[in-house]
Amino acid sequence: MFDEDDLAAIREGAERWEEETYDPTVERFGERKETFETDTGGQEVDPLYTPADVEGLDYGEDLGYPAEEPFTRGVYSTMYRGRLWTMRQYAGMGTAAETNERFLYLLDQGQTGLSMAFDLPTQMGYDSDAPMAEGEVGKSGVAIDSLEDMARVFEDIPLDEVSTSMTINAPASILLAMYIAIGDRQGVPREELRGTIQNDVLKEYVARNTYIYPPKPSMRLITDIFEFCAEEVPKFNTISISGYHIREAGSTAAQEIAFTLGNGIEYVRAAIDAGQDVDEFAPQLSFFFNAHNNVLEEVAKFRAARRMWARIMEERFGAENPGSKQLKFHTQTGGSTLTAQQIENNVVRVAYQALAAVLGGTQSLHTNGKDEALSLPTEKSVRTALRTQQILAHESGAADTIDPLAGSYYIEHLTDTLEEEAFEILREADDRGGMRQAIESGWVQGEIQDVAFERQREVESGDRVIVGVNEFRVEDEERAEDIETVSDEEVAKQIDRLESLRADRDDEAVEAKLEALRTACETGENVMPYIVDAVKAHATTGEVADAMRDVFGEHRGGV
């Protein structure tokens, strides 16, 4: 690095350049804007960065090498030179059969992992024929009422050959149990099952509201899953601690890091309080981040988050296993950045966001379809989204070297700045009793809402340009006609299959399994073996969720 004399000379040179070269040019020609800021954080961006902006950087302490602490440069030694990131496309097409068809298509097109979207009733623990499910069956993903629905989804898909990510939270234990049961049915050893369940309930109280149970029993279910999977399904990531929805709700990049890692701290603490060894369960933790439009800010965000998590795990929890300190994460391009206007522009947005994720070192990636601002993506748009990743992997060169932007004065300065700001937010959450109490008090939600309000005001005033929306508009734009929909006939068939299942099963056996589950909920015994037994007996999603509702109660809004 540079010594003090070098830095003094650089600072002096930068001041001379600004006075003699930059300022006269600006005075004569002006600039596009009075100030330039990062995408969401509102941090002012200087016109030029030099070594003086990263003078405190210690290579060994702050950067290091890939697969070595503090993991700023990546969690694996070869990164994409050894194996490309897992290419996932989020899919859930109303019915199990349609979802199976889409999964087989995507695998045939070169996708390397499956990502499963569930409809709203499934996410809330309701069967398709429940009054609360009316009008929502199959709308935002696949309806999974029973083990037979799960079997249809994975027909002709060997579970020992694919990794499956399931975006499910409050009923994550139920859907994981079904996945394990299908693996058992296929004859796949449980230790060979690979994938991720989102299972991040705290962010539901912050951003999405698809919770079922109050916070305390919800946390208990999560730690039960940690314990069960460490013993039975060791290759399965037991939680995907999600900043994605926090960002979708309007947060800044620094808030996304802070609130996500803060939730992670709560989960780790809860597992330790339940008697689990941090180095036994922590390697199975994973994270889920958003990728927005400001490429350089997003790259710095991912690098800062990795470094922060390594330090948090060591300093707060005394983790010794390097795997416990590695922040492994999935990325999805920003749904909230997609526009219904000029939807072709979304292809470009997604490509830049995917580039940011890869330059930032993601382990898996979902690229949105251009039409997702309107509906579930069509087969054509999802193929284009997958091809975006494949072009990035095989044609762009971005995957050929590890952490290619390291050493950029701007990137390193921004990484440091985001880390500092995120740690400051975490300290404030700690002062409020930790993330759980900060959520219950409404502080976290208020912080995000303030940012979202300000960003919307900027869009409406024109201070923030959204191409095709408040600038560069097209009059009389043609609307996309090829939009995925779920028909009333398909919904009726789903309900008919559910009724047939109930008519053909052994109801006494089902009730016995559900009663055993209720007892486990009451006594504090790990619930996962009982949930697996219940779904194998053909208890439905809603029935299993209701059995736990009987003991845990329901969370009724607010915090």
Side-chain angles (χ1 to χ4, degrees):
M1 299 301 287
F2 298 90
D3 61 27
E4 282 302 319
D5 290 340
D6 293 331
L7 292 172
I10 289 168
R11 279 190 288 267
E12 183 179 338
E15 291 172 2
R16 178 203 55 75
W17 169 82
E18 187 169 353
E19 181 179 338
E20 296 180 5
T21 303
Y22 181 75
D23 287 346
T25 304
V26 171
E27 185 175 349
R28 183 177 180 186
F29 298 107
E31 291 184 320
R32 290 185 289 114
K33 297 189 289 187
E34 186 175 336
T35 59
F36 290 77
E37 297 178 343
T38 54
D39 184 39
T40 57
Q43 301 160 339
E44 188 165 346
V45 178
D46 294 338
L48 184 72
Y49 289 83
T50 72
D53 292 291
V54 291
E55 62 178 302
L57 188 71
D58 182 301
Y59 187 88
E61 290 290 321
D62 298 323
L63 296 180
Y65 297 91
E68 296 181 7
E69 294 181 41
F71 304 110
T72 312
R73 303 204 65 187
V75 294
Y76 298 128
S77 57
T78 58
M79 288 301 288
Y80 308 137
R81 289 171 66 94
R83 178 183 175 184
L84 291 169
W85 62 91
T86 302
M87 298 181 191
R88 301 187 187 277
Q89 290 305 122
Y90 195 41
M93 304 307 299
T95 67
E98 289 175 297
T99 300
N100 173 258
E101 183 181 345
R102 175 62 62 89
F103 278 172
L104 291 171
Y105 171 78
L106 287 169
L107 291 170
D108 183 62
Q109 293 298 310
Q111 181 168 299
T112 54
L114 302 175
S115 189
M116 194 168 175
F118 300 90
D119 71 355
L120 189 57
T122 304
Q123 292 181 52
M124 299 295 291
Y126 293 115
D127 291 331
S128 294
D129 60 352
M132 290 290 287
E134 187 173 352
E136 293 293 340
V137 176
K139 287 280 181 76
S140 60
V142 62
I144 299 293
D145 292 321
S146 70
L147 186 61
E148 295 313 306
D149 285 334
M150 190 68 95
R152 287 187 191 93
V153 167
F154 291 101
E155 189 174 349
D156 298 323
I157 299 174
L159 298 192
D160 55 347
E161 296 181 14
V162 299
S163 168
T164 303
S165 174
M166 293 186 282
T167 305
I168 195 71
N169 294 284
S173 57
I174 304 170
L175 277 301
L176 174 61
M178 289 183 181
Y179 193 81
I180 290 169
I182 295 303
D184 289 349
R185 185 182 289 187
Q186 289 187 3
V188 178
R190 290 183 179 182
E191 60 268 21
E192 294 304 315
L193 293 174
R194 293 179 296 115
T196 303
I197 45 173
Q198 192 162 104
N199 196 27
D200 177 4
V201 174
L202 285 178
K203 68 97 173 51
E204 296 298 320
Y205 305 113
V206 173
R208 291 189 73 242
N209 298 323
T210 58
Y211 41 69
I212 299 175
Y213 313 109
K216 186 175 180 179
S218 294
M219 295 291 283
R220 181 267 182 93
L221 288 174
I222 289 169
T223 57
D224 278 2
I225 290 170
F226 287 177
E227 181 181 54
F228 177 83
C229 288
E231 295 177 3
E232 297 271 340
V233 200
K235 292 183 180 179
F236 219 88
N237 294 314
T238 52
I239 194 168
S240 180
I241 304 161
S242 177
Y244 183 86
H245 306 94
I246 291 169
R247 193 65 173 276
E248 291 290 279
S251 79
T252 67
Q255 287 175 331
E256 182 185 358
I257 299 171
F259 295 147
T260 306
L261 300 192
N263 285 343
I265 290 167
E266 290 291 329
Y267 295 129
V268 172
R269 184 180 292 121
I272 291 172
D273 290 346
Q276 298 179 40
D277 186 313
V278 66
D279 285 323
E280 289 294 321
F281 69 83
Q284 288 180 279
L285 304 180
S286 67
F287 291 79
F288 175 24
F289 288 111
N290 209 308
H292 265 230
N293 287 329
N294 189 311
V295 173
L296 301 180
E297 183 182 30
E298 294 301 288
V299 172
K301 178 188 77 178
F302 298 131
R303 299 173 83 248
R306 267 198 300 271
R307 188 160 71 199
M308 289 176 67
W309 188 244
R311 291 174 176 170
I312 286 167
M313 290 301 291
E314 181 170 319
E315 293 171 7
R316 291 201 186 210
F317 300 110
E320 296 178 358
N321 182 350
S324 301
K325 307 175 195 179
Q326 293 177 335
L327 184 143
K328 299 182 286 289
F329 65 96
H330 169 71
T331 308
Q332 181 175 340
T333 56
S336 63
T337 70
L338 304 181
T339 64
Q341 301 89 338
Q342 299 179 40
I343 63 171
E344 293 82 5
N345 295 342
N346 294 331
V347 176
V348 182
R349 292 186 177 101
V350 167
Y352 285 135
Q353 293 163 7
L355 175 63
V358 169
L359 293 176
T362 193
Q363 275 62 69
S364 73
L365 178 61
H366 163 81
T367 36
N368 290 328
K370 69 177 183 179
D371 46 3
E372 288 191 50
L374 302 172
S375 69
L376 291 170
T378 63
E379 188 173 279
K380 182 178 180 180
S381 67
V382 81
R383 183 177 66 234
T384 299
L386 178 59
R387 294 289 183 259
T388 300
Q389 296 198 48
Q390 292 164 336
I391 291 168
L392 186 56
H394 299 290
E395 298 185 27
S396 73
D400 295 349
T401 191
I402 302 167
D403 192 22
L405 297 185
S408 156
Y409 306 131
Y410 179 47
I411 288 292
E412 298 300 354
H413 173 81
L414 196 50
T415 301
D416 291 346
T417 301
L418 283 169
E419 180 180 18
E420 181 181 349
E421 185 177 346
F423 266 132
E424 180 57 38
I425 296 168
L426 268 178
R427 281 190 286 271
E428 187 164 357
D430 285 340
D431 290 343
R432 294 171 179 273
M435 275 295 290
R436 182 172 157 187
Q437 290 189 39
I439 291 168
E440 289 175 346
S441 71
W443 175 74
V444 173
Q445 297 91 316
E447 292 293 291
I448 296 171
Q449 288 163 7
D450 288 346
V451 175
F453 177 82
E454 178 61 22
R455 297 297 172 259
Q456 184 60 32
R457 186 202 62 77
E458 292 171 357
V459 171
E460 291 174 0
S461 68
D463 292 339
R464 179 176 291 263
V465 173
I466 307 297
V467 173
V469 176
N470 61 359
E471 288 284 352
F472 314 111
R473 289 175 290 197
V474 174
E475 300 300 328
D476 301 321
E477 180 182 358
E478 291 186 10
R479 293 291 180 180
E481 295 181 1
D482 187 13
I483 293 176
E484 292 286 349
T485 59
V486 180
S487 69
D488 292 341
E489 182 181 1
E490 290 166 338
V491 173
K493 288 180 180 179
Q494 177 68 21
I495 294 173
D496 287 344
R497 283 191 293 269
L498 177 59
E499 291 175 348
S500 295
L501 175 87
R502 291 199 187 107
D504 294 340
R505 71 188 183 180
D506 183 340
D507 286 340
E508 288 187 7
V510 170
E511 183 50 43
K513 299 299 184 184
L514 292 176
E515 186 57 34
L517 173 58
R518 291 186 192 97
T519 301
C521 291
E522 291 169 347
T523 61
E525 195 173 351
N526 193 306
V527 299
M528 281 303 300
Y530 297 95
I531 298 175
V532 173
D533 286 347
V535 300
K536 283 187 172 183
H538 300 296
T540 66
T541 299
E543 289 167 342
V544 176
D546 283 347
M548 291 191 282
R549 280 185 179 99
D550 292 343
V551 179
F552 297 146
E554 263 188 308
H555 188 67
R556 290 292 186 183
V559 287

